[in-house]
Amino acid sequence: MMSTTVRRVTLSLALTGVLAGMAACSSPDSSGGSDGRDASGRDDKAVHKGTAHISSITALRSAEKSTDGADSARVESTTTMGTMMSMTADGALGWADGLTGNLTITYTGGTMADTMRQTGSTTMQARYLPDAYYAKMGDAFAEQAGGKHWIRYAYDDLAELGGSSGAYLQDQMQNTTPNQSVKLLLASGDVKKVGEETVRGERTTHYSGTVDVADLATDNSSLTESQLADLKKQLTQAGVTTETVDIWVNGDDLLVKKVEKGELTTGSMSSTAYYSDYGVEVSTQKPPASDTADFKELLKAQGATS
């Protein structure tokens, strides 16, 4: 029978796969007439604020469309979730026909890194295909898993075994692309242009906003009303209410940087991602079946339930 460590790692990697895939300006001039109002009597500050908001929304819609149409990009990201884990991810993702790609994920701290050390390595390879996510473990893990190095997470199995949270996990794994961060701001109704900034030598425009996490699930998923109700309850119990989203867009209307921050009952959550080389070729192959263990079958072998 496989060890508790193997089971713990198997379950945890489903969550961290989503996080890894995720895993990506100057203030408007409010000067006006001497009394702060325009010729029609409206407050100049309110007028400029409304105009700036509309301008930001228009720019973000263009960025969302351009980023989505680019089909692929190189990704570098760092993610921290309280004391649970900190991790980095580096590779390339494509989204022309479902999410595909290859990432190298390294756990740099937290309890997840401690668990991974027990399997012989804190670094793993991740492959994304339209129907499943694959994680490659070290030799120590393979010795406890029938000699197989890869774990396959079929998205349909995640939904079946994880209830509402599993369905949300499935939805996010299949729809985690750089333009989703732009959609978050568009859905928030609270977005502002921060200013013009340089990111890794590239001139960009910085936008920022606050997103209600419960409403975000409603606006950006295809879950049923019942699943969403359960998920909102879980988010509330976890202490998740809102998160801030900052994005940086270049002159080609492409997302080049994304930062998301929020609070959990287990601590703070922070994710930063850089996107570059849009249109890069992404080729992802399924690992050999003889070297792949199925997530659902591993749970059965442990006599585990969702």
Side-chain angles (χ1 to χ4, degrees):
M1 181 176 289
M2 291 174 291
S3 70
T4 301
T5 297
V6 170
R7 180 185 172 192
R8 188 163 62 246
V9 171
T10 301
L11 293 171
S12 298
L13 289 179
L15 167 63
T16 55
V18 174
L19 296 173
M22 292 176 57
C25 310
S26 62
S27 300
D29 182 1
S30 58
S31 61
S34 59
D35 66 350
R37 295 181 179 275
D38 65 9
S40 64
R42 293 174 297 177
D43 186 287
D44 273 352
K45 290 184 178 180
V47 171
H48 282 293
K49 183 177 180 180
T51 301
H53 179 73
I54 294 173
S55 177
S56 295
I57 293 297
T58 300
L60 288 178
R61 284 174 176 164
S62 180
E64 193 279 325
K65 183 178 180 180
S66 296
T67 301
D68 182 38
D71 291 344
S72 66
R74 296 195 184 282
V75 182
E76 297 175 51
S77 70
T78 59
T79 302
T80 300
M81 290 188 67
T83 58
M84 174 184 166
M85 70 168 193
S86 58
M87 59 182 281
T88 64
D90 183 18
L93 295 174
W95 51 90
D97 186 21
L99 185 64
T100 60
N102 306 279
L103 294 178
T104 298
I105 300 173
T106 301
Y107 298 91
T108 56
T111 54
M112 188 62 194
D114 294 337
T115 299
M116 290 293 292
R117 288 189 188 97
Q118 297 177 45
T119 69
S121 176
T122 56
T123 298
M124 72 174 195
Q125 301 300 312
R127 294 184 186 178
Y128 296 83
L129 289 162
D131 64 335
Y133 162 72
Y134 295 81
K136 186 178 183 180
M137 310 304 296
D139 292 336
F141 179 92
E143 289 177 2
Q144 302 177 64
K148 297 181 179 181
H149 294 82
W150 290 89
I151 306 173
R152 176 181 181 270
Y153 296 89
Y155 299 136
D156 288 344
D157 289 344
L158 291 176
E160 176 186 346
L161 296 169
S164 296
S165 59
Y168 183 65
L169 194 62
Q170 175 196 30
D171 185 75
Q172 293 302 296
M173 272 202 165
Q174 292 180 298
N175 295 286
T176 299
T177 57
N179 66 306
Q180 293 300 316
S181 299
V182 186
K183 285 183 177 180
L184 300 188
L185 285 184
L186 287 171
S188 73
D190 174 32
V191 58
K192 63 180 179 181
K193 177 181 176 181
V194 179
E196 304 292 334
E197 300 175 10
T198 299
V199 176
R200 295 187 169 183
E202 189 170 13
R203 189 175 180 81
T204 69
T205 303
H206 178 187
Y207 298 93
S208 181
T210 301
V211 179
D212 185 293
V213 175
D215 287 343
L216 171 64
T218 303
D219 293 335
N220 292 282
S221 75
S222 56
L223 304 182
T224 66
E225 290 185 8
S226 175
Q227 290 172 330
L228 286 170
D230 287 345
L231 177 61
K232 289 178 183 179
K233 180 180 179 180
Q234 293 166 10
L235 291 172
T236 300
Q237 291 174 337
V240 180
T241 55
T242 62
E243 69 174 70
T244 59
V245 179
D246 288 79
I247 65 171
W248 288 257
V249 178
N250 68 11
D252 294 322
D253 289 332
L254 295 172
L255 181 66
V256 297
K257 181 182 177 182
K258 174 214 69 173
V259 175
E260 294 181 32
K261 294 181 179 180
E263 293 296 325
L264 310 173
T265 54
T266 55
S268 299
M269 180 278 291
S270 177
S271 174
T272 300
Y274 293 90
Y275 304 98
S276 62
D277 202 6
Y278 277 94
V280 64
E281 182 178 351
V282 177
S283 179
T284 307
Q285 302 295 325
K286 287 185 180 180
S290 60
D291 196 26
T292 302
D294 189 86
F295 164 68
K296 190 173 182 178
E297 294 305 317
L298 287 175
L299 291 188
K300 287 183 179 179
Q302 286 285 306
T305 66
S306 58

